[in-house]
Amino acid sequence: IEVFRELVRIHNEEKLSFKNVIVFNLFEYYPLDINFAQSCMNQIKTNLLDKIDILPENIHSIDPTLNQSEIAQHCADYERQIEECGGIDYQVLGIGGVGNIGFNEPGSQASSQTRLILLDPNSRKEAVHFFGSIDKVPAGAITMGINTILKAKRIALLAFGEHKASTIKNIIEGNITDLYPASFLQ
């Protein structure tokens, strides 16, 4: 949220334009009502996109309302859209408590692309503050894969809070392993 606030400030005070920026949402909980205020895309819109001059046609998001039978094609189309736009220039990532980037949970492979994934129990617990209770947190998410993320020209990994210190230590100083998917950033 702080990054979004700073971008809005720069847009307003320094007249930084976002008209030529194309955005691809990293992940979305699944299944989910598209109008759910706490959805990832609604949070990005509320805190950033609705406050800058980005063109609506330049905003791409994962659809969390699809039938499961439609997800594989949707994910392939999402990958194609990224490729058609020339790939991702700048990927901003947070780090989950289990070493995940996006929702590439432990066990995710470096070759993974956008796909539906079951959430780790700890990732679901981290999301309780958005949903109110664990039983309301969706069991899955559609996420960009590690391979998709690693193709970005530049990557920023943001981590906030002392509780993530050991995870950061493991992904920076430890072995590259699917137990800590963020370690693939090494």
Side-chain angles (χ1 to χ4, degrees), residues 30 65-73 116 118:
Y30 179 85
T65 66
L66 296 171
N67 291 323
Q68 238 178 327
S69 63
E70 301 171 295
I71 292 175
Q73 185 60 54
L116 175 63
L118 287 175

Side-chain angles (χ1 to χ4, degrees), residues 17-82:
S17 177
F18 290 84
K19 285 184 180 175
N20 295 321
V21 171
I22 300 172
V23 172
F24 285 90
N25 191 15
L26 180 64
F27 64 84
E28 190 58 82
Y29 292 97
Y30 179 85
L32 193 65
D33 179 343
I34 199 124
N35 296 314
F36 180 64
Q38 299 297 329
S39 76
C40 299
M41 194 65 214
N42 284 337
Q43 288 295 307
I44 295 168
K45 282 183 175 183
T46 299
N47 292 294
L48 177 64
L49 301 176
D50 290 346
K51 297 177 180 183
I52 59 175
D53 63 343
I54 191 165
L55 300 174
E57 61 267 24
N58 287 350
I59 300 170
H60 301 272
S61 186
I62 294 164
D63 185 348
T65 66
L66 296 171
N67 291 323
Q68 238 178 327
S69 63
E70 301 171 295
I71 292 175
Q73 185 60 54
H74 178 67
C75 292
D77 290 344
Y78 204 66
E79 290 283 332
R80 183 185 43 73
Q81 289 173 357
I82 292 169

Side-chain angles (χ1 to χ4, degrees), residues 73-127:
Q73 185 60 54
H74 178 67
C75 292
D77 290 344
Y78 204 66
E79 290 283 332
R80 183 185 43 73
Q81 289 173 357
I82 292 169
E83 291 289 324
E84 287 174 356
C85 288
I88 296 171
D89 290 324
Y90 195 78
Q91 180 76 59
V92 179
L93 302 170
I95 181 81
V98 293
N100 55 304
I101 47 176
F103 273 121
N104 291 286
E105 303 286 13
S108 294
Q109 300 299 301
S111 60
S112 62
Q113 294 189 318
T114 304
R115 70 205 184 283
L116 175 63
I117 190 165
L118 287 175
L119 295 178
D120 181 273
N122 290 317
S123 292
R124 291 188 73 222
K125 286 177 191 170
E126 286 180 12

